[in-house]
Amino acid sequence: QVQLVESGGGLVQAGGSLRLSCAASSGAFTTNTMGWFRQAPGKGREFVAATGWSTRYADSVKGRFTISRDNAKNMVYLQMNSLKPEDTAVYYCAAARQSTSSRRAESYDYWGQGTQVTVSS
């Protein structure tokens, strides 16, 4: 069983930055597809970014967010710059057992507990 633990969330003003971290218990999955999703109150879980064979982003965060990984440390990161109030959500780290280009949450097998990001205007 792979365990994922997110950290780095918090309260930030619009225009500010945060860096989320995800620690994976198993190094095997940091070489497969790792992704970040988010869920705002009353909304479904939304794809943010993923890295595996390729790196991809949701249009809403492209140019502002950067996903990266350190396989030696079993870590995945999400650098978030120029934050907007609409970025407010619980952010989840996710891992897929097999490489996938899907942006659907159902394509990911393991999830962290989430970390809250709140952007004030």
Side-chain angles (χ1 to χ4, degrees):
Q1 184 74 12
V2 175
Q3 291 185 328
L4 304 173
V5 179
E6 304 98 333
S7 60
L11 174 63
V12 64
Q13 288 188 332
S17 298
L18 283 174
R19 187 195 195 205
L20 304 184
S21 299
C22 173
S25 63
S26 170
F29 292 91
T30 58
T31 61
N32 289 344
T33 303
M34 301 289 295
W36 288 95
F37 288 75
R38 66 187 182 187
Q39 188 165 15
K43 296 187 177 181
R45 198 160 290 191
E46 174 191 26
F47 172 82
V48 175
T51 180
W53 290 110
S54 63
T55 298
R56 49 205 174 275
Y57 299 92
D59 288 343
S60 59
V61 307
K62 198 174 295 182
R64 300 188 298 122
F65 291 11
T66 302
I67 188 171
S68 61
R69 66 200 300 166
D70 185 336
N71 289 339
K73 296 182 179 180
N74 297 345
M75 297 291 295
V76 179
Y77 306 97
L78 185 68
Q79 177 67 44
M80 306 186 295
N81 299 328
S82 302
L83 283 161
K84 305 175 181 180
E86 51 265 42
D87 294 319
T88 295
V90 177
Y91 283 71
Y92 296 90
C93 177
R97 282 197 293 264
Q98 297 183 1
S99 294
T100 177
S101 61
S102 173
R103 300 183 177 213
R104 298 173 64 243
E106 293 81 359
S107 298
Y108 290 77
D109 304 290
Y110 302 99
W111 294 84
Q113 82 289 350
T115 185
Q116 176 71 47
V117 171
T118 303
V119 184
S120 62
S121 57

